[in-house]
Amino acid sequence: MEKLNGLRCRECGRHYPAAPVHVCEFCFGPLEVDYHYDALKGVVTRESIAAGPPSMWRYRDLLPIEGDAAVGHHVGFTPLIRAKNLADELGCREVWVKNDSVCHPTWSFKDRVVAVAVTKALEFGFDTVACASTGNLANSVAAHAAEGRLKSYIFIPADLEQGKILGTLVYSPTLVAVHGTYDEVNRLCSEIADKYRWAFVNVNFRPYYSEGSKSYGFEIIEQLGWRTPGHIVVPCAGGSLITKIWKAIKELKTLGLLEGPVRTKMHAAQALGCGPIVTMIKNDTDVLVPVRPNTIAKSLAIGNPADGYYAYKTTKESGGSGEHATDEEIIEGMLLLARTEGIFTETAGGVTVAAAKKLIERGVIPRDESIVICVTGNGLKTPDALQDRLQTHAKIKPSLSAFDRALAELKSQTS
Amino acid sequence: MARTRVRLTFPTALIQEPIVYRLVKDFDIVINIRRADVTADHGWMALELEGDEGALERGVKWLRDRGVQVDPLERDVIVP
Ligand SMILES: Cc1ncc(COP(=O)(O)O)c(C=O)c1O
Ligand SMILES: [Zn+2]
């Protein structure tokens, strides 16, 4: 079955053979993987998917790899949880949490994109992978490169705290700290990606890499019994994830795998301190105004998102919307999810919960329609976000009477 | 000769100024615009710059000093 049809320019539609390239030589538009959907129809079925492994690779036929997964065999197929307590708190009938805070192996949805990029790098015969990242992406690239026995180069701005890089260094990549302003470091990394024959996951491998995010969307739909939910609230940074979840739904529709019509509205969630996509949605304009990030939601801090325009279009096309969350609301969102569902997400998840809550309160998301909240990363990676907010309730001597007194004290405080 | 591909974002205040003209004339840079969207109050351009390396660096610095945002085509390469 020939499923892949090379690459296609998202702006001018020109076709390119499958290669590690990401920009259209004619219009400088972004390239996207193209598939022979006709060849997939009737071959990819609910049964064929169900017969696959309990990982993202059950959707292998809809991902841009030729052979089998080379790394990350256990990535994905994370829990979709019916969040009854959270629903009660939000005053809603049906709330689900798609929980990639437990994605194997590095606890964020980035494992999905990186597993595809690294597999593709091996297919194209590369021996080195690279990325420039301060967080989740760096963790995932270093881990999957180790598994694939590839060399890896990770670039970071020189002023990044040591604590942030341990979760990357542990996998033995080559870590390069670059001095300079954000703009200088950013442009240098683009030039490095251009010059060296490495698989730079989010640059020359971006068309393949970004397709990995579709698996998050496929799983939501399969786990809902092939029904589309009323609403999906997605945290946005570069704007790729929300675009690809929507693409996943459209592909399942094309293949005739959905129960009933598509009725999903896609909603973008961003921090107020870095929310250029949501600003487009609120102002109803396709013009993205770049911003300087200033938020505790570090993993969503992309000021000039490459897929911002497509993310905006996704919300428009689906009839969805968007909402900002302040730093305070982000923390409240993290605490709310932990308190109601026992899930500790990072700030990005706090952004999504907070944005969903506001969209519900504003009446944009009706309380009687089904809602999926996307939780994409793990709170244990960045505990500092909550450091000042939480404290021990009682400190006592090791005696039963001391505990009795403390307990009485605590009870009197809460009653 | 060196080449670089960049995306320029213009703040409203600079839309009316002949920025690209100056870049060509004062820095001896050859430019090739591939995609652009410029209206009365906003504008961006995806283009290729060609010139000697020093001229490109000086040109990019001059653009930034004027308040033009200069990003690689991929925009944020650094991903959190
Ligand atoms: C935890 C987390 N959630 C969501 C996102 C947003 O994804 P995208 O850049 O595809 O919009 C990111 C990273 O960029 C992330 O690290
Ligand atoms: Zn093109």
Side-chain angles (χ1 to χ4, degrees), chain A residues 128-211:
Chain A
T128 304
V129 294
C131 74
S133 170
T134 53
N136 287 322
L137 183 63
N139 299 164
S140 191
V141 168
H144 286 95
E147 189 198 349
R149 299 203 157 260
L150 288 156
K151 284 179 279 215
S152 65
Y153 284 85
I154 313 282
F155 298 88
I156 57 164
D159 55 10
L160 197 64
E161 308 92 300
Q162 183 71 16
K164 287 244 168 98
I165 57 182
L166 283 179
T168 297
L169 277 175
V170 71
Y171 305 106
S172 293
T174 302
L175 193 88
V176 181
V178 188
H179 289 281
T181 65
Y182 178 89
D183 287 345
E184 289 166 340
V185 178
N186 195 52
R187 192 161 154 250
L188 171 70
C189 291
S190 164
E191 288 171 352
I192 290 168
D194 197 36
K195 173 162 182 182
Y196 291 86
R197 220 192 101 77
W198 295 341
F200 220 103
V201 297
N202 59 322
V203 183
N204 53 338
F205 273 67
R206 190 175 176 88
Y208 306 100
Y209 157 94
S210 58
E211 283 283 287

Side-chain angles (χ1 to χ4, degrees), chain B residues 8-27 31 33 38-45 47 62-68:
Chain B
L8 308 183
T9 309
F10 299 94
T12 309
L14 290 180
I15 293 287
Q16 310 233 19
E17 295 194 24
I19 299 276
V20 173
Y21 169 78
R22 297 233 69 97
L23 193 63
V24 173
K25 198 145 176 357
D26 298 356
F27 297 90
I31 68 153
I33 301 175
V38 181
T39 66
D41 61 355
H42 77 270
W44 61 264
M45 282 178 194
L47 39 75
W62 176 79
L63 286 167
R64 286 194 173 135
D65 290 347
R66 295 303 313 269
V68 179

Side-chain angles (χ1 to χ4, degrees), chain A residues 8-14 16 23-31, chain B residues 35:
Chain A
R8 196 174 149 274
C9 174
R10 259 155 122 177
E11 291 301 324
C12 75
R14 267 194 181 73
Y16 291 81
V23 173
C24 173
E25 284 305 316
F26 289 87
C27 77
F28 285 1
L31 301 181
Chain B
R35 219 148 53 89

Side-chain angles (χ1 to χ4, degrees), chain A residues 75-93:
Chain A
V75 175
F77 216 55
T78 53
L80 179 76
I81 294 149
R82 178 79 191 254
K84 287 215 172 67
N85 299 337
L86 180 60
D88 285 347
E89 192 97 14
L90 295 174
C92 292
R93 190 174 55 83

Side-chain angles (χ1 to χ4, degrees), chain A residues 83-396:
Chain A
K84 287 215 172 67
N85 299 337
L86 180 60
D88 285 347
E89 192 97 14
L90 295 174
C92 292
R93 190 174 55 83
E94 185 179 346
V95 175
W96 300 85
V97 171
K98 175 64 175 169
N99 188 10
D100 262 23
S101 75
V102 291
C103 196
H104 179 84
T106 70
W107 302 355
S108 91
F109 90 100
K110 292 286 184 202
D111 288 329
R112 301 173 182 274
V113 284
V114 171
V116 172
V118 172
T119 293
K120 207 62 199 170
L122 287 161
E123 283 186 0
F124 281 127
F126 283 71
D127 66 1
T128 304
V129 294
C131 74
S133 170
T134 53
N136 287 322
L137 183 63
N139 299 164
S140 191
V141 168
H144 286 95
E147 189 198 349
R149 299 203 157 260
L150 288 156
K151 284 179 279 215
S152 65
Y153 284 85
I154 313 282
F155 298 88
I156 57 164
D159 55 10
L160 197 64
E161 308 92 300
Q162 183 71 16
K164 287 244 168 98
I165 57 182
L166 283 179
T168 297
L169 277 175
V170 71
Y171 305 106
S172 293
T174 302
L175 193 88
V176 181
V178 188
H179 289 281
T181 65
Y182 178 89
D183 287 345
E184 289 166 340
V185 178
N186 195 52
R187 192 161 154 250
L188 171 70
C189 291
S190 164
E191 288 171 352
I192 290 168
D194 197 36
K195 173 162 182 182
Y196 291 86
R197 220 192 101 77
W198 295 341
F200 220 103
V201 297
N202 59 322
V203 183
N204 53 338
F205 273 67
R206 190 175 176 88
Y208 306 100
Y209 157 94
S210 58
E211 283 283 287
S213 288
K214 288 192 310 191
S215 64
Y216 190 91
F218 293 142
E219 290 175 18
I220 291 173
I221 305 302
E222 183 185 357
Q223 288 167 321
L224 285 174
W226 304 103
R227 279 187 310 129
T228 55
H231 305 268
I232 304 182
V233 186
V234 190
C236 296
S240 178
L241 177 62
I242 190 171
T243 311
K244 296 293 182 175
I245 293 174
W246 185 233
K247 183 178 181 187
I249 292 176
K250 290 198 289 192
E251 286 184 346
L252 295 178
K253 178 172 189 269
T254 301
L255 296 174
L257 302 187
L258 294 179
E259 198 69 40
V262 176
R263 56 200 176 99
T264 307
K265 294 184 165 76
M266 304 292 297
H267 305 274
Q270 291 197 295
L272 184 62
C274 184
I277 296 172
V278 170
T279 301
M280 292 168 87
I281 296 166
K282 287 187 172 173
N283 295 343
D284 196 14
T285 169
D286 62 5
V287 177
L288 185 139
V289 180
V291 300
R292 292 273 151 195
N294 178 19
T295 169
I296 58 164
K298 301 284 182 223
S299 60
L300 301 182
I302 291 190
N304 194 4
D307 289 312
Y309 169 74
Y310 303 109
Y312 161 78
K313 268 200 4 193
T314 294
T315 61
K316 276 291 264 196
E317 194 182 310
S318 65
S321 175
E323 189 53 275
H324 291 120
T326 64
D327 283 358
E328 182 57 30
E329 289 166 343
I330 293 167
I331 289 178
E332 291 299 331
M334 292 168 73
L335 296 176
L336 174 61
L337 185 66
R339 172 160 59 76
T340 54
E341 299 298 332
I343 296 170
F344 183 16
T345 183
E346 60 153 278
T347 48
V351 170
T352 321
V353 171
K357 183 164 184 276
K358 289 169 87 172
L359 288 167
I360 292 161
E361 283 163 359
R362 275 173 51 204
V364 177
I365 297 181
R367 294 179 191 272
D368 60 346
E369 294 181 6
S370 58
I371 309 163
V372 174
I373 292 177
C374 298
V375 165
T376 50
N378 192 297
L380 287 168
K381 285 195 194 183
T382 53
D384 41 307
L386 296 177
Q387 209 84 65
D388 303 333
R389 283 296 296 263
L390 304 172
Q391 69 234 343
T392 309
H393 293 97
K395 287 187 180 147
I396 59 169

